[in-house]
Amino acid sequence: MNREKLALNHAIMIEMIRRSGTTDFEMIHLLKNGDSKEFTPYGEGIPDWQTFIDFYRTHTEKLEKAIINGYTITFLTKNALKTLLKIKYDLVENIDYQDFDFYLDGLVLTKSQIEDLQNFISLNWKVIDKQSANEKHHVKIELHYME
């Protein structure tokens, strides 16, 4: 199954909504309603919720597929990666992992989380499963230079 390619801001907004426990179908329903005030409980949008609604109106099929089937982020900076780790997995720098210039290390994820991360992360990052013990996987995420 091909995943839709999304810009970072749209991926963050999807994950902000999911974090609240809202289902994918409820999210699509909110987008169809098109009232940006309904998104207020999910926090401040990046750039804003109306932009997310407008993107949905012009790219309905693409965004619905991304929400339901998954997405890949087109490009991801290290700070944006850290933001997504916080939103999706509640992982915090210097508590759950360390930042070492060109990589993040010390993450402990489940196999399912690793697969999810590998599916959405942009091609400029590489997820390395360093060591596994039972259900816990010690993971490093490093900047991957593409030629």
Side-chain angles (χ1 to χ4, degrees):
M1 166 178 31
N2 287 340
R3 292 172 167 265
E4 293 295 320
K5 292 184 179 181
L6 283 186
L8 171 65
N9 61 324
H10 298 128
I12 287 175
M13 295 169 102
I14 288 169
E15 297 308 329
M16 289 173 76
I17 296 167
R18 282 184 175 151
R19 179 177 60 187
S20 73
T22 301
T23 68
D24 292 344
F25 295 105
E26 290 169 335
M27 184 184 327
I28 290 169
H29 179 74
L30 288 169
L31 287 163
K32 283 180 181 175
N33 286 347
D35 183 357
S36 61
K37 292 180 186 107
E38 291 184 24
F39 290 89
T40 304
Y42 306 114
E44 187 175 323
I46 304 165
D48 64 60
W49 294 113
Q50 188 58 52
T51 301
F52 192 50
I53 293 165
D54 293 344
F55 181 78
Y56 176 77
R57 288 180 178 151
T58 58
H59 300 88
T60 303
E61 185 177 343
K62 176 185 182 80
L63 192 53
E64 285 184 2
K65 283 182 179 178
I67 291 168
I68 294 167
N69 300 326
Y71 57 84
T72 299
I73 299 171
T74 52
F75 183 79
L76 195 55
T77 66
K78 183 171 62 171
N79 284 335
L81 173 58
K82 291 192 277 188
T83 298
L84 278 168
L85 290 172
K86 173 67 176 145
I87 293 170
K88 281 185 73 72
Y89 309 118
D90 203 27
L91 298 174
V92 179
E93 182 181 359
N94 296 323
I95 295 173
D96 300 303
Y97 65 89
Q98 301 298 314
D99 180 343
F100 297 95
D101 291 332
F102 299 105
Y103 64 94
L104 305 178
D105 202 358
L107 295 101
V108 178
L109 301 173
T110 65
K111 183 173 178 63
S112 173
Q113 289 172 324
I114 292 171
E115 289 170 0
D116 183 47
L117 181 62
Q118 288 172 325
N119 284 325
F120 81 74
I121 201 166
S122 62
L123 295 176
N124 61 314
W125 291 96
K126 185 176 179 180
V127 180
I128 302 166
D129 187 351
K130 294 173 25 178
Q131 179 183 1
S132 300
N134 298 326
E135 285 297 310
K136 297 182 186 230
H137 296 259
H138 296 269
V139 176
K140 175 181 179 181
I141 305 172
E142 68 181 15
L143 190 57
H144 179 69
Y145 294 99
M146 299 169 34
E147 297 178 25

